[in-house]
Amino acid sequence: MHLPEHLGRKLGQVTSSVKSALGGWLRAQVGLMGVTFLVLTLGFLVLGVNSPVLLGVGVALLDALPLLGTGTILIPWALVQMMMGDMGLGLGLLGLYGAAALVRNILEPKLLGAQLGLSPLLTLVTIYAGWRLGGFGGMILLPMGAMVAAQLVLGAKSQPAGISQTAGQSAGQSAGQSPFHSVYHQKP
């Protein structure tokens, strides 16, 4: 089947945007896992827990799964410690859970938005709406869909997120900025 040239170009744009969005989502998740790992490992070191690096890796991996997260390990562990009489470690683990959750909730919209080329607020809204509409899959697909939709609307004004300046970065766009930066971060 042969597509008309303009549809072929548009399909190429969509395909490129989807690949870029998926790659951006993966990069953001790896970045979040790295930050979570650092927070947890430092917390485990301060609390004097054995094998802090191994525990940091394990809990950070769980944190990448939104249905599980750091609370799956840290909250029951904290409760068991408090029931066994170690209130210091139990409260420390609860504090560590709060710190890890806070850092993730602050950084996730910023990192994901930067990778997808969306503003942090739009990213946060699409993550939440995606979760409500489609669970874990919706959390991934709706922000990527928003990025693809923005790409289609903007069309020739921008290149897909992640394309380097030599491959067609728009004039006036700084290196490292997403192609939608000027659209979503205009000064009034």
Side-chain angles (χ1 to χ4, degrees), residues 37 40-46 48-58:
F37 163 76
L40 292 170
T41 301
L42 289 173
F44 291 144
L45 281 168
V46 168
V49 174
N50 291 332
S51 304
V53 173
L54 182 60
L55 285 169
V57 167

Side-chain angles (χ1 to χ4, degrees), residues 49-112:
V49 174
N50 291 332
S51 304
V53 173
L54 182 60
L55 285 169
V57 167
V59 178
L61 287 172
L62 278 178
D63 190 49
L65 306 172
L67 298 177
L68 298 177
T70 56
T72 303
I73 299 294
L74 296 180
I75 292 173
W77 184 9
L79 294 175
V80 167
Q81 291 301 316
M82 289 190 293
M83 286 190 292
M84 293 175 60
D86 193 348
M87 293 301 281
L89 181 57
L91 292 173
L93 290 169
L94 288 177
L96 182 56
Y97 165 69
L102 181 66
V103 167
R104 182 173 180 91
N105 287 331
I106 289 171
L107 289 180
E108 186 169 30
K110 290 179 181 284
L111 287 176
L112 194 55

Side-chain angles (χ1 to χ4, degrees), residues 85-156:
D86 193 348
M87 293 301 281
L89 181 57
L91 292 173
L93 290 169
L94 288 177
L96 182 56
Y97 165 69
L102 181 66
V103 167
R104 182 173 180 91
N105 287 331
I106 289 171
L107 289 180
E108 186 169 30
K110 290 179 181 284
L111 287 176
L112 194 55
Q115 291 297 324
L116 294 180
L118 302 173
S119 73
L121 179 60
L122 182 59
T123 303
L124 187 61
V125 168
T126 58
I127 289 170
Y128 178 73
W131 175 256
R132 298 291 297 173
L133 295 171
F136 177 67
M139 277 179 57
I140 297 169
L141 295 176
L142 195 58
M144 288 194 306
M147 193 285 257
V148 170
Q151 173 66 29
L152 290 174
V153 169
L154 296 175

